[in-house]
Amino acid sequence: MSYKRSLSVILMVILTVMAAGSVSRPVYAETTLERLKKAKAEKEKTEDAKENTEDRKQSLEITKNSLLGQLSTLNDDLAQVSTNLETIENNITAKEAEIEQTQAELAEAIRIEEEQYKNMKLRIKAMYEGGGGSNSYLNILFSSTSFSDFLNKSDYIDRVHEYDQKMLREFEESRKYVEETKARLDAELISLNELREEAEAEKSRVASLVDQTSANVASYSNQIADAEATIDALESMIDEQEQDIAALQKQYEEELAKSRLAAKSKWRDISEVKFEEGDRKLMANIIYCEAGGESYTGQVAVGAVVINRVLSSVFPNTVVGVIYQNRQFSPVASGRLALALANDSATESCYRAADEAMRGVTNVGQCVYFRTPIPGLNGIRIGGHIFY
């Protein structure tokens, strides 16, 4: 028995307890055909739920696949950003080494320039301020042996002076070039550091997007797994419902066959039936459960169905056997009959109807089934029941 059917039984018992002692709001027992129709309707709802879940799963898969595509692109972007950042880091390292080398070259250029300037000052001082020393300009010039020698020595002095000036200018230009190179390298290093900061920010941004997208993919994967589990559960439910429907369909067909068979079968006369002690109470209370809210005519009709089954060779030949036959009267399975018997809930009219039926009175001929009317079912209509 399915969970829903068990729940239905529990609800039926609760309703019975609430209705005990009153016949103003009757609860009719479901026939096999009613249960069959209800089972088919429930199956359709389950199939609709399964279809909706499959549609939702498909939508989730489309979104997940889109996210996977985005994730692949983001991973490619992250790899490219990481590569760019690595290149920038290498360039910064190289630039820092180049700056260090240039710094050393600048220091050396400054040293050489200062040394050249110092040496030049010493030569000038020695040549102009040397007094009577042999290296002074005047001593060099006055030591000339001829005018030609004088001119040569004078030219020599000029060339020494020009050489000193030239070397000083070259060293100054070299220092200036090294300074400019260092300034350019410093500016390039600043630019590289800015690029590194931008690359690190971009890497952080893309990595955050990768994490977020990965989390979204995982979330959709979980939702898809939940949907798949729901679909599996619904498929199992549909299988169970199909089994219930098949069983109810078989039972309904058997009922129709028995109804037709009963009409053609051998019937006993009411005088042949031996009623047992308690049959009257049992009859009155099953009438109460099935037709407590019906008119007296409807109550007699329900009692007649019970006795018709007793008289037919197709059914058990006792009141107890007929009423407690498996899956025939739902108040038996739901516990309503047991509750009614315990409280002897049957009304006076139910007892009178039971007495008439047990005397062989029938207002439904040889009908052996009854239910609430439905389209396509022909029979004798009495109150809220149709007998067939």
Side-chain angles (χ1 to χ4, degrees):
M1 181 178 291
S2 66
Y3 170 77
K4 285 187 175 180
R5 186 176 298 173
S6 299
L7 183 58
S8 297
V9 171
I10 294 171
L11 290 174
M12 186 67 75
V13 172
I14 294 172
L15 288 172
T16 301
V17 172
M18 292 174 63
S22 174
V23 296
S24 60
R25 299 175 66 182
V27 179
Y28 298 112
E30 284 186 328
T31 64
T32 301
L33 186 56
E34 286 176 316
R35 297 201 307 273
L36 178 59
K37 287 191 144 202
K38 184 181 290 186
K40 288 181 177 179
E42 289 176 352
K43 180 191 171 189
E44 288 180 1
K45 290 180 181 179
T46 306
E47 288 173 339
D48 289 342
K50 177 189 172 186
E51 184 177 350
N52 292 336
T53 306
E54 287 174 340
D55 291 342
R56 185 168 66 88
K57 175 190 171 187
Q58 185 178 7
S59 176
L60 290 170
E61 286 176 338
I62 291 173
T63 304
K64 176 187 174 182
N65 290 335
S66 175
L67 287 172
L68 286 173
Q70 294 177 29
L71 184 61
S72 176
T73 301
L74 287 171
N75 280 324
D76 291 341
D77 292 345
L78 183 60
Q80 184 61 49
V81 170
S82 298
T83 300
N84 293 342
L85 183 59
E86 184 179 355
T87 300
I88 291 172
E89 293 283 2
N90 292 336
N91 290 340
I92 288 175
T93 301
K95 192 66 63 179
E96 288 174 341
E98 192 175 353
I99 288 173
E100 185 178 353
Q101 177 64 30
T102 304
Q103 184 72 36
E105 292 175 358
L106 177 60
E108 180 65 15
I110 291 173
R111 185 191 67 77
I112 294 173
E113 179 189 4
E114 291 176 347
E115 184 177 351
Q116 173 63 19
Y117 182 70
K118 178 181 178 183
N119 291 336
M120 185 179 69
K121 285 202 305 180
L122 289 174
R123 279 195 294 272
I124 291 173
K125 182 176 182 181
M127 297 180 73
Y128 287 101
E129 300 177 3
S134 61
N135 292 328
S136 68
Y137 281 173
L138 291 176
N139 285 336
I140 292 174
L141 291 174
F142 289 150
S143 65
S144 301
T145 57
S146 63
F147 184 71
S148 174
D149 185 35
F150 178 84
L151 293 176
N152 288 334
K153 288 181 178 181
S154 177
D155 181 61
Y156 166 75
I157 292 171
D158 289 339
R159 282 188 283 112
V160 169
H161 182 68
E162 288 176 358
Y163 173 77
D164 285 338
Q165 293 294 325
K166 176 184 176 184
M167 293 302 296
L168 181 61
R169 286 194 300 272
E170 287 180 354
F171 289 137
E172 287 176 346
E173 290 173 357
S174 176
R175 177 179 59 78
K176 182 179 179 182
Y177 171 76
V178 174
E179 287 176 342
E180 290 174 349
T181 299
K182 182 177 181 299
R184 176 179 58 81
L185 292 174
D186 286 340
E188 291 175 353
L189 180 62
I190 291 173
S191 297
L192 285 172
N193 282 323
E194 290 175 350
L195 287 175
R196 177 170 64 183
E197 291 178 0
E198 292 174 0
E200 287 175 343
E202 179 65 9
K203 180 180 179 181
S204 177
R205 185 187 72 82
V206 176
S208 177
L209 288 175
V210 168
D211 292 341
Q212 180 180 351
T213 306
S214 297
N216 289 338
V217 169
S219 174
Y220 276 94
S221 296
N222 291 335
Q223 293 181 58
I224 290 171
D226 290 342
E228 289 174 345
T230 300
I231 290 171
D232 290 341
L234 289 171
E235 287 177 345
S236 298
M237 187 180 295
I238 289 171
D239 290 341
E240 184 177 345
Q241 289 172 336
E242 286 176 346
Q243 294 175 10
D244 290 343
I245 288 171
L248 287 170
Q249 184 70 40
K250 181 180 179 182
Q251 182 181 348
Y252 178 59
E253 291 172 356
E254 290 174 352
E255 287 180 0
L256 290 179
K258 280 188 175 182
S259 180
R260 290 190 292 267
L261 181 61
K264 300 177 182 179
S265 66
K266 181 180 177 181
W267 284 72
R268 293 190 296 166
D269 185 76
I270 190 65
S271 61
E272 301 177 49
V273 179
K274 180 181 179 182
F275 293 106
E276 302 293 336
E277 183 180 357
D279 282 354
R280 182 172 180 267
K281 181 179 179 181
L282 182 57
M283 280 285 294
N285 279 278
I286 195 64
I287 291 172
Y288 168 78
C289 290
E290 296 283 14
E294 291 290 326
S295 67
Y296 178 70
T297 303
Q299 293 174 356
V300 172
V302 170
V305 166
V306 176
I307 297 302
N308 283 343
R309 291 192 180 192
V310 175
L311 297 177
S312 171
S313 60
V314 176
F315 295 92
N317 59 5
T318 64
V319 172
V320 173
V322 166
I323 292 176
Y324 287 102
Q325 188 177 9
N326 188 34
R327 296 188 303 176
Q328 294 302 306
F329 292 92
S330 60
V332 175
S334 69
R336 290 181 59 232
L337 178 59
L339 184 62
L341 286 169
N343 296 325
D344 195 10
S345 302
T347 62
E348 185 272 334
S349 64
C350 290
Y351 269 102
R352 284 195 292 114
D355 291 338
E356 284 209 58
M358 293 171 71
R359 287 198 301 269
V361 175
T362 176
N363 54 1
V364 291
Q366 293 182 329
C367 292
V368 290
Y369 288 99
F370 66 92
R371 57 151 295 140
T372 52
I374 59 171
L377 179 62
N378 297 319
I380 301 172
R381 177 72 177 267
I382 300 178
H385 287 141
I386 186 167
F387 297 80
Y388 58 100

